[in-house]
Each structure stands twice: as structure tokens, then as C-alpha cells.
Amino acid sequence: GLRYNFGAPKAATVVTPVAAAAPAPAPEPAVEPAALPRNFLVFFDFDRSEISPEADTILSDAVAYAKANGSVRIAASGHADRSGSDEYNVALSMRRGNAVKARLQALGVPETEITVAARGESEPLVQTEDGVREPQNRRVEIVLE
């Protein structure tokens, strides 16, 4: 037979396996701290505007949350139940809002960061007939903005 040789045969190339670097671990998802509510409620006794120990604890929590999360405004809306006249309930809800404002100031919130509104019996948490003494309607809603 006929044989052609066009140069020297090539030596076989030996590839030595290189250990592959372990893949970088996937970054762990950032764990967000549990978000606290931005709204707080404090309740009042019938025909009263004094801050109870329970309300004081809630107000302290609201101030701590505001400081930790950079809240710059606090809106306090006072409410009343449906017993008593509309005029009386608006005045009572304003006294409640102002009591909350005074306590927030005592806890270190500047007066300029707090607004107070009196809603009277116009925005009940629990719908009732006129004249009904509903404890959940006697409240101040605190909204951090």
C-alpha cells in the first residue's frame, strides 16, 4: 500500500483535571426586622381623658418606634363613644388627644412634631346606636408619618 506522511505524528495532549473551585455560597437573604405597626391605639375610661398605665406603655412603644424608624410627625386623633351630645364628645375627644400629646412630649417628642384632632363620635371603631357607651370608641389613634 501507499502511505503518505506529512510530518511527525502529534503527541497526544494530556489534559489533567484541575479541581474546580467551589461555587461561592449564595448570599443569604437580608432578614428584615419585624415591622412594628405604624398606628397605635390607646383607650380611655368613660368620660375620662387621663392616661392609664396600659396607655402609657403603648405611648412609650410608639415613641420608641418613631425614634427607631425616623418618624417625623405624629398625628393623634381623639374619639368618643356615642353617649352624650356631639359638642360634648368633640370637646372630650380633644382633651384625650391633648392628654396623649402631653405624654408624648414628656417622652421626648417635640411639640412641633405632634398634631391633635378631635373626631368626637363621628368615626366609631364599633358601630353603635346613639347613646351607647362602647369602650372601644373611647380612644386616641396615633399615626406615625
Side-chain angles (χ1 to χ4, degrees):
L2 188 57
R3 184 181 219 179
Y4 292 97
N5 190 352
F6 294 104
K10 290 189 173 187
T13 306
V14 178
V15 177
T16 53
V18 177
E28 291 188 28
V31 177
E32 299 278 330
L36 296 176
R38 293 180 56 90
N39 299 342
F40 298 84
L41 291 174
V42 293
F43 295 94
F44 294 83
D45 290 331
F46 176 73
D47 200 26
R48 298 292 202 191
S49 59
E50 294 83 21
I51 303 294
S52 68
E54 294 85 11
D56 193 50
T57 300
I58 292 167
L59 294 175
S60 295
D61 291 346
V63 170
Y65 181 88
K67 289 179 180 178
N69 292 286
S71 177
V72 293
R73 297 194 42 81
I74 298 176
S77 300
H79 299 266
D81 63 21
R82 302 212 50 212
S83 65
S85 70
D86 289 344
E87 296 80 21
Y88 183 83
N89 285 334
V90 168
L92 177 59
S93 64
M94 181 57 84
R95 286 194 305 274
R96 289 174 175 162
N98 284 330
V100 166
K101 179 180 179 178
R103 185 63 188 135
L104 292 173
Q105 287 179 264
L107 292 168
V109 178
E111 180 179 8
T112 57
E113 293 182 8
I114 307 167
T115 60
V116 177
R119 304 281 188 243
E121 61 183 60
S122 66
E123 298 175 14
L125 191 62
V126 177
Q127 294 294 327
T128 66
E129 295 295 321
D130 194 31
V132 174
R133 295 180 180 184
E134 172 54 52
Q136 291 188 40
N137 290 338
R138 301 188 298 256
R139 70 197 188 281
V140 170
E141 295 180 14
I142 298 121
V143 178
L144 307 179
E145 303 168 345

